Amino acid sequence: MQTTRTVPVNGIELFVREQGSGPLVLLCHGWPELSYSWRHQIAALAAAGYRAVAPDMRGFGRSSAPAEMAAYSMFDLVGDMVALTAACGAHRAAIIGHDWGAAVAWHAALFRPDLFCGVAGLSVPPPYRGRERPLDALRKQGIENFYWQYFQPPGLAEAEFERDPELTLRTILGGGFADAAALFVTPGKGLLRAPPPNQPLPDWLDEDDLAEFVAAYRASGFRGGLNWYRNIDRNWELTAPWQDAQIRQPSLFIGGAQDAVVTSLLGGKRVAEMERVLPALTRKLILPEAGHWIQQERPAEVNAALIEFLKRLEF
């Protein structure tokens, strides 16, 4: 049976959902999501003989949301997962992440190969540290309206998203990122582009699921998660010692063929070349007709791939 609790880690508190016993598997969600995003994986991993632990990540849901933007660097986020592993009484763990959670998982494996024995990333390829700050690189390409840039000024995106959290989440989760144009902000319309209210949900997300997300974001607001984006350039600076480093543990990538994060020019290049970063990549699974929220959209296939991967690991 799944249980929930709040765990003190790394100077904050994380709300976690957990189930099962056996080797520890951490599940890291992305934006704008919650531990609830792993609802289909937690029970399946527990049934397969693992202890599945999914936190509301720092700044999200019922977990702590420090006020300082600087408290959301990749070092802080990975530090939370290191401390959560210890709080679970484990000396080794596998780590799985989706979206921003994938970035945390990849970096956790990079920073602490002694602790994380395997890593799976969903929807976001492994880190490839470029030669300049990511936001500087966008500007040099003449790009001024990418969503990363829109999220930088504190309060701007919060005002748009918090005006109607139900409409925001219905639009972002229901629409996803199938079209690369959705990653760019329309001047005067924000990221949501004045969506129609009560648009139908996809078949993988019902009204009860949506209500779970909406209730959490009405209580927490959106600032904590947006602060992750406000550390993009700072993360580039902090990770300089890992320039051109590889993640050598066994790894798995799962993406959707209709996810612009995977199929865009940059994303597609990183997916195609990820073996440069992942020399022990066991599988690159691209699911046809799947979008960005892949563990919720295609749980049976994702669960099967994750369990097959976990069985290869030495905890």
Side-chain angles (χ1 to χ4, degrees), residues 48-301:
Y50 299 95
R51 181 182 180 187
V53 176
D56 283 356
M57 302 293 280
R58 172 184 292 240
F60 291 88
R62 284 177 270 185
S63 291
S64 298
E68 305 83 6
M69 283 190 292
Y72 297 85
S73 76
M74 191 56 69
F75 284 178
D76 296 294
L77 305 174
V78 171
D80 293 346
M81 297 304 100
V82 170
L84 180 57
T85 301
C88 290
H91 300 289
R92 296 273 279 171
I95 188 164
I96 299 167
H98 171 256
D99 186 78
W100 258 110
V104 174
W106 295 127
H107 282 93
L110 181 66
F111 296 162
R112 291 297 305 270
D114 61 313
L115 185 60
F116 297 107
C117 60
V119 54
L122 280 58
S123 302
V124 169
Y128 179 79
R129 187 177 182 275
R131 301 296 171 178
E132 58 185 339
R133 294 176 183 85
L135 297 180
D136 288 347
L138 286 173
R139 283 189 291 270
K140 286 184 179 179
Q141 296 173 57
I143 297 171
E144 299 288 348
N145 65 331
F146 194 55
Y147 76 109
W148 290 2
Q149 296 163 308
Y150 178 63
F151 286 176
Q152 295 307 306
L156 180 61
E158 287 94 328
E160 180 186 4
F161 298 152
E162 292 171 7
R163 190 174 302 119
D164 186 342
E166 193 273 341
L167 182 60
T168 295
L169 292 160
R170 180 179 291 273
T171 303
I172 295 176
L173 295 178
F177 298 108
D179 183 356
L183 304 176
F184 294 85
V185 176
T186 302
K189 293 186 177 180
L191 188 68
L192 303 180
R193 294 179 175 80
N198 301 317
Q199 60 183 359
L201 294 173
D203 57 10
W204 57 266
L205 184 71
D206 64 28
E207 294 291 345
D208 289 340
D209 294 328
L210 181 64
E212 185 81 21
F213 289 101
V214 172
Y217 279 90
R218 285 195 195 280
S220 70
F222 285 80
R223 177 155 297 189
L226 290 169
N227 280 338
W228 290 41
Y229 289 91
R230 293 164 185 153
N231 280 271
I232 286 175
D233 278 356
R234 184 162 173 257
N235 287 336
W236 182 87
E237 295 166 358
L238 291 172
T239 56
W242 288 271
Q243 181 73 43
D244 299 325
Q246 293 181 315
I247 297 168
R248 297 188 173 275
Q249 300 95 308
S251 56
L252 167 69
F253 178 77
I254 306 175
Q258 294 182 355
D259 180 1
V261 177
V262 172
T263 61
S264 66
L265 185 62
L266 177 58
K269 185 175 187 295
R270 289 185 174 177
V271 169
E273 299 178 353
M274 66 173 61
E275 287 86 351
R276 293 171 56 191
V277 180
L278 304 174
L281 181 68
T282 63
R283 189 180 186 187
K284 186 190 301 183
L285 177 61
I286 307 298
L287 295 177
E289 300 180 7
H292 184 68
W293 317 108
I294 195 160
Q295 80 272 38
Q296 299 180 74
E297 295 180 39
R298 303 285 282 274
E301 291 151 290

